[in-house]
Amino acid sequence: FLAGKSVAVSNTSTTEKEVATYQQIAEEHGAEFISLVVESRHDGKNQHGVSEEKLEQMRNRFSVKL
């Protein structure tokens, strides 16, 4: 019943383990999995009120393998 449907997830996944959850769900349902890394600097301004400490933790965990 899901044929022809699409699902988009917006999340701040910063590790492969976090992304793997979504990849596994896609595989279980026979769906194509695409992961996008989107970067926007917003002129250096935090748009969501996230603390600088938390942002630094996220930067330190972030990894990208091409």
Side-chain angles (χ1 to χ4, degrees), residues 40-53:
S40 179
R41 302 213 183 259
H42 301 289
D43 294 326
K45 297 175 185 160
N46 180 349
Q47 299 292 305
H48 300 286
V50 178
S51 71
E52 190 57 41
E53 178 182 7

Side-chain angles (χ1 to χ4, degrees), residues 13-25 33 35:
S13 301
T14 57
T15 66
E16 289 182 54
K17 183 178 178 180
E18 292 169 331
V19 173
T21 299
Y22 297 108
Q23 187 171 15
Q24 180 181 352
I25 292 168
F33 177 81
S35 178

Side-chain angles (χ1 to χ4, degrees), residues 3-66:
K5 304 293 182 182
S6 297
V7 175
V9 177
S10 175
N11 198 346
T12 54
S13 301
T14 57
T15 66
E16 289 182 54
K17 183 178 178 180
E18 292 169 331
V19 173
T21 299
Y22 297 108
Q23 187 171 15
Q24 180 181 352
I25 292 168
E27 289 173 2
E28 289 172 1
H29 294 279
E32 180 179 12
F33 177 81
I34 300 171
S35 178
L36 300 175
V37 176
V38 180
E39 182 178 338
S40 179
R41 302 213 183 259
H42 301 289
D43 294 326
K45 297 175 185 160
N46 180 349
Q47 299 292 305
H48 300 286
V50 178
S51 71
E52 190 57 41
E53 178 182 7
K54 189 61 166 176
L55 289 171
E56 188 61 28
Q57 288 174 353
M58 293 169 73
R59 282 186 204 104
N60 291 335
R61 293 184 334 162
F62 186 70
S63 63
V64 175
K65 292 187 179 183
L66 302 175

